Amino acid sequence: MQIFKVGGAVRDRLLGKPVTDIDWVVVGATTEEMLAQGYRPVGADFPVFLHPKSGEEYALARTERKSGRGYGGFTFHASPEVTLEEDLIRRDLTINAMAEDDQQNLTDPYHGQRDLEERILRHVSPAFAEDPLRVLRVARFAARYAELDFKVAPETLELMRQLSESGELEALTAERSWKEISRALMEDQPQMFIQVLRDCGALKVLMPEVDALFGVPQPEAHHPEIDSGIHTLSVLEQSALHKQPLTVRWACLLHDLGKGLTPEEEWPRHIAHEHKGLKLIKAVNERFKAPKDCQELALLVGQYHTHGHRALELKASTLLELLQSFDVYRRPQRFEEFIAACEMDARGRKGLEQRSYPQAEYLRGAAKAAREVAVQPLLEQGFKGPELGEALKRERLKALETYKEACAS
């Protein structure tokens, strides 16, 4: 029995990055031998065991063969005869197909260390094209290592293009797709994830609503970058630079989908794109079964982001409607995330990345003024039921009018 550290732990150590998750492969062992040493079995698909003390996962070396469509369409074979090289060749990228023993002696049959040095994301073998999930994984690695100037190898991009055209991407489950998408959006350069998906044709399969934004112009006076797709990538980039949570990043990706529906004869204007985009945002939300908080914020940002930009011009009554839509009294954090998404949208414009966004503090102040209206005095005046709600609304409107006047003076 031989035990090797494999995959990301080896890759990141060689890159000088922190090692978080460690994967182990056991060569030359049987299930019975693992159980006899106190390892606990996990799952039924293939032999994976938990270490009796550390709880880390140890997998028997295995080979795999394509047996159906999608990510799950594989049969696995694990036995003591499977070599380390046979186990490594089934992995996606050469930089993930290295192993080392407890003395840090490197086993690198597919030249992963060379590709690390040359900053290349390259597939290990033609079997790469058997797993459609790898299209998303490679795009995610491109986002993760963009800061180190990693690029996808042309031949790997071509395989990803073939996969995108094969119909295999449609076989991916929403859960598996969302896991990769959400992880990619939380990388330091999530815009590279979208760009690589677009480069290989996967974006128009997975998110045609986002792909449709590329080539659609916007008024140059407001958007010096002009292209709606480029703007979306820039907004996503800003959301990462400002360390925004997943909810905000997801909303940033989807906020302008309505612009993809604008007839060409109306370009570069996009009248009512906020409302038109809601059905598209809803469709993308449902396609990937995004978490509820991501879904809700994406829809609200899509509908109201131009309200955010025009906050200082809004009437007190419109401000109140905006605050009510977000339920700022019970869910203040959601409104804070809306403000963040609006600011990322404003900064995601060529040459305007550093421009101040006074609307943010103004909206926070408006929410504070509305929240500070006390209910108790109204109760003491005898208001109750629907009448209490109307009275509370009137008092909040007065508070916002006073707030606006104070800000204007």
Side-chain angles (χ1 to χ4, degrees), residues 46-164:
F46 43 80
V48 177
F49 304 85
L50 297 181
H51 191 280
K53 293 182 179 177
S54 70
E56 291 180 325
E57 288 190 357
Y58 285 67
L60 293 186
R62 64 184 189 271
T63 59
E64 61 185 32
R65 184 169 54 84
K66 184 76 168 170
S67 60
R69 289 188 78 206
Y71 167 77
F74 292 89
T75 54
F76 298 95
H77 170 68
S79 79
E81 287 73 42
V82 176
T83 66
L84 179 61
E85 288 75 12
E86 287 174 323
D87 182 90
L88 293 175
I89 200 172
R90 66 181 178 78
R91 297 171 187 271
D92 50 6
L93 298 172
T94 60
I95 64 170
N96 296 329
M98 297 179 285
E100 60 184 26
D101 60 19
D102 56 4
Q103 302 298 311
Q104 291 190 342
N105 295 310
L106 192 68
T107 299
D108 181 18
Y110 309 108
H111 312 295
Q113 189 171 23
R114 180 194 65 194
D115 284 345
L116 273 185
E117 292 167 355
E118 296 181 1
R119 302 301 197 240
I120 293 175
L121 300 172
R122 192 194 314 275
H123 63 284
V124 177
S125 77
F128 174 95
E130 295 178 351
D131 183 356
L133 191 68
R134 288 176 168 173
V135 172
L136 280 80
R137 277 178 56 82
V138 173
R140 174 165 64 82
F141 281 117
R144 175 178 295 179
Y145 297 122
E147 63 173 354
L148 298 177
D149 204 30
F150 270 79
K151 299 289 188 292
V152 182
E155 62 271 26
T156 302
L157 198 65
E158 179 56 33
L159 277 183
M160 292 165 68
R161 188 175 292 112
Q162 291 173 20
L163 262 174
S164 301

Side-chain angles (χ1 to χ4, degrees), residues 320-374:
L320 180 60
E321 288 172 12
L322 179 67
L323 297 175
Q324 303 274 79
S325 299
F326 280 85
D327 192 8
V328 295
Y329 317 109
R330 292 182 298 178
R331 301 185 63 179
Q333 184 56 34
R334 185 167 67 176
F335 191 61
E336 188 61 39
E337 291 179 352
F338 164 73
I339 293 171
C342 290
E343 183 168 356
M344 298 308 100
D345 184 25
R347 291 181 182 275
R349 297 178 293 165
K350 187 177 180 182
L352 303 175
E353 296 86 355
Q354 304 303 321
R355 180 179 281 191
S356 64
Y357 194 69
Q359 295 93 323
E361 283 308 311
Y362 182 82
L363 287 169
R364 291 187 185 102
K368 183 173 182 287
R371 275 198 297 267
E372 285 177 349
V373 173

Side-chain angles (χ1 to χ4, degrees), residues 232-405:
T232 296
L233 295 185
S234 298
V235 176
L236 199 51
E237 181 179 13
Q238 289 297 316
S239 73
L241 284 172
H242 291 268
K243 308 296 183 187
Q244 299 296 347
L246 177 62
T247 46
V248 173
R249 298 187 191 203
W250 182 241
C252 285
L253 177 62
L254 306 184
H255 78 286
D256 263 351
L257 292 188
K259 291 179 179 177
L261 297 176
T262 304
E264 283 190 36
E265 59 270 19
E266 294 180 16
W267 289 353
R269 301 178 68 208
H270 298 280
I271 300 166
H273 76 275
E274 306 90 345
H275 178 72
K276 292 175 184 175
L278 294 181
K279 63 182 179 182
L280 302 183
I281 295 172
K282 186 177 181 182
V284 179
N285 276 335
E286 292 176 352
R287 185 178 312 137
F288 298 109
K289 296 183 180 177
K292 188 177 179 182
D293 56 347
C294 288
Q295 293 200 28
E296 289 178 351
L297 188 68
L299 286 165
L300 286 165
V301 170
Q303 184 169 2
Y304 292 114
H305 62 276
T306 49
H307 277 50
H309 302 327
R310 294 174 45 244
L312 280 69
E313 308 160 24
L314 298 180
K315 296 185 296 185
S317 57
T318 307
L319 258 181
L320 180 60
E321 288 172 12
L322 179 67
L323 297 175
Q324 303 274 79
S325 299
F326 280 85
D327 192 8
V328 295
Y329 317 109
R330 292 182 298 178
R331 301 185 63 179
Q333 184 56 34
R334 185 167 67 176
F335 191 61
E336 188 61 39
E337 291 179 352
F338 164 73
I339 293 171
C342 290
E343 183 168 356
M344 298 308 100
D345 184 25
R347 291 181 182 275
R349 297 178 293 165
K350 187 177 180 182
L352 303 175
E353 296 86 355
Q354 304 303 321
R355 180 179 281 191
S356 64
Y357 194 69
Q359 295 93 323
E361 283 308 311
Y362 182 82
L363 287 169
R364 291 187 185 102
K368 183 173 182 287
R371 275 198 297 267
E372 285 177 349
V373 173
V375 179
Q376 191 59 35
L378 299 175
L379 290 171
E380 291 171 357
Q381 292 174 47
F383 288 107
K384 56 186 177 181
E387 290 182 348
L388 175 62
E390 286 301 313
L392 193 53
K393 190 174 178 180
R394 284 195 300 272
E395 291 303 312
R396 285 169 174 163
L397 183 57
K398 287 179 188 175
L400 288 172
E401 287 169 345
T402 302
Y403 174 72
K404 275 186 68 69
E405 289 171 7

Side-chain angles (χ1 to χ4, degrees), residues 209-227:
E209 302 87 350
V210 176
D211 190 68
L213 295 175
F214 290 88
V216 175
Q218 305 166 102
E220 188 174 359
H222 302 297
H223 288 278
E225 71 286 350
I226 300 177
D227 190 285

